[in-house]
Amino acid sequence: MTAPTPTNPGRFAALRSLWDRVTEPRRLKALYAFLYAVATGTGVVTLLFPPQSVEGVLGRALVVVWSSLFIAGGVGGMSTVLNGRWKWERWSIGSILMGIGIYGAVVLSLHFTSSGSRLTQLGVLVLAAGLFVVKLELIRWYSFDPRR
């Protein structure tokens, strides 16, 4: 295989072109895009296969709302994080944080009403929410990425 040159950019030129469109810090934005994809996937899985312990507390209708918050936040975040539309990304983060909050309230309720400890789950939820709170703090002053 020959090395890429100006006349032969190589087989990854299209991917490189897409990557170059993302403003710095690219790796951080890619990481958050992955986290938004995880939020979307979590919402879809929760909608299709809700945890029985949570569905028992919330009921089916609220499980649909709860999972929809993750789906909307995840899809919105994926569609805004790479292009720097922070006004809309903040809405996505808010949706995800509401979903985490609802789940946290259920976990806390189950901690006091069922056997066993749920504090580990609650701690992991606080860590997950923390990632989105940090992102919110990074983008709170502008409605778009000023580096664009």
Side-chain angles (χ1 to χ4, degrees):
M1 182 165 133
T2 61
T5 64
T7 57
N8 176 18
R11 67 171 93 157
F12 299 110
L15 286 176
R16 183 62 192 193
S17 175
L18 288 173
W19 182 250
D20 288 342
R21 286 191 203 166
V22 179
T23 58
E24 293 292 344
R26 289 184 182 104
R27 290 184 180 150
L28 185 59
K29 289 182 178 185
L31 176 62
Y32 270 98
F34 171 76
L35 293 174
Y36 289 129
V38 170
T40 303
T42 299
V44 169
V45 167
T46 301
L47 184 63
L48 297 176
F49 310 104
Q52 291 178 354
S53 60
V54 174
E55 190 173 30
V57 172
L58 290 179
R60 181 67 184 153
L62 284 177
V63 167
V64 171
V65 170
W66 172 54
S67 59
S68 297
L69 287 168
F70 280 119
I71 294 168
V75 170
M78 284 188 300
S79 65
T80 59
V81 68
L82 298 178
N83 63 21
R85 293 190 177 146
W86 290 346
K87 177 181 179 181
W88 301 112
E89 189 175 358
R90 283 193 294 271
W91 283 96
S92 298
I93 291 170
S95 179
I96 291 169
L97 288 175
M98 283 191 287
I100 291 172
I102 290 169
Y103 186 47
V106 170
V107 168
L108 190 61
S109 169
L110 289 172
H111 176 73
F112 291 113
T113 60
S114 64
S115 63
S117 175
R118 306 283 181 153
L119 295 178
T120 302
Q121 284 176 282
L122 200 56
V124 171
L125 288 172
V126 170
L127 289 171
L131 291 171
F132 292 102
V133 170
V134 167
K135 178 64 174 175
L136 196 57
E137 181 61 27
L138 291 171
I139 67 173
R140 73 183 175 129
W141 295 109
Y142 302 99
S143 59
F144 61 92
D145 188 346
R147 293 171 288 215
R148 291 207 58 76

